[in-house]
Amino acid sequence: LILDNRYTEHSMVGLSQAWDQLNQLAMRMQHNLEQQIQARNMSGVSEEALREFSMMFKHFDKDHSGKLDHREFKSCLRALGYDLAFVEEGEVDTEFDKIL
């Protein structure tokens, strides 16, 4: 068994530890994915509904931030049929606050 190699800075022990860390990370990632799949399957939401939700979210996420800001969220609620009054910038929107 060769433990040292003068042609590299890596040692057998260091490589073994790095491999173990990588293997543990892969196992944690696999476990997390399995939990996400299980949660999705238990939610009762179909793949088609998830695609539709994703498509609608992308439609209202105008700045492509991955989040809906106040204005984008209100537009989404209006599209879903909520009757929200238009409020001037800076004014308190009590109807919208009740929904939140």
Side-chain angles (χ1 to χ4, degrees):
L1 188 64
I2 300 172
L3 297 178
D4 291 321
N5 183 345
R6 64 182 172 167
Y7 298 107
T8 183
E9 61 189 43
H10 303 289
S11 69
M12 183 68 171
V13 173
L15 290 173
S16 178
Q17 289 173 341
W19 175 255
D20 287 341
Q21 289 174 348
L22 184 61
N23 193 23
Q24 288 176 3
L25 176 63
M27 288 189 318
R28 281 195 309 266
M29 290 176 70
Q30 180 180 359
H31 178 73
N32 288 341
L33 284 173
E34 288 170 353
Q35 285 183 324
Q36 289 176 10
I37 290 169
Q38 185 178 15
R40 182 198 66 198
N41 290 341
M42 291 176 57
S43 71
V45 178
S46 69
E47 285 291 326
E48 183 179 334
L50 284 174
R51 278 193 298 276
E52 185 177 344
F53 294 153
S54 178
M55 190 173 68
M56 292 301 290
F57 181 87
K58 289 176 185 174
H59 173 75
F60 288 103
D61 184 21
K62 299 294 184 192
D63 59 359
H64 306 287
S65 65
K67 300 174 188 173
L68 295 181
D69 65 21
H70 185 86
R71 183 179 37 80
E72 293 167 340
F73 187 56
K74 282 182 76 170
S75 296
C76 180
L77 290 175
R78 282 191 187 103
L80 291 171
Y82 285 90
D83 186 24
L84 297 172
F86 288 93
V87 178
E88 292 297 321
E89 190 72 30
E91 290 184 21
V92 177
D93 189 350
T94 55
E95 273 189 79
F96 183 69
D97 289 341
K98 287 178 190 175
I99 293 171
L100 294 179

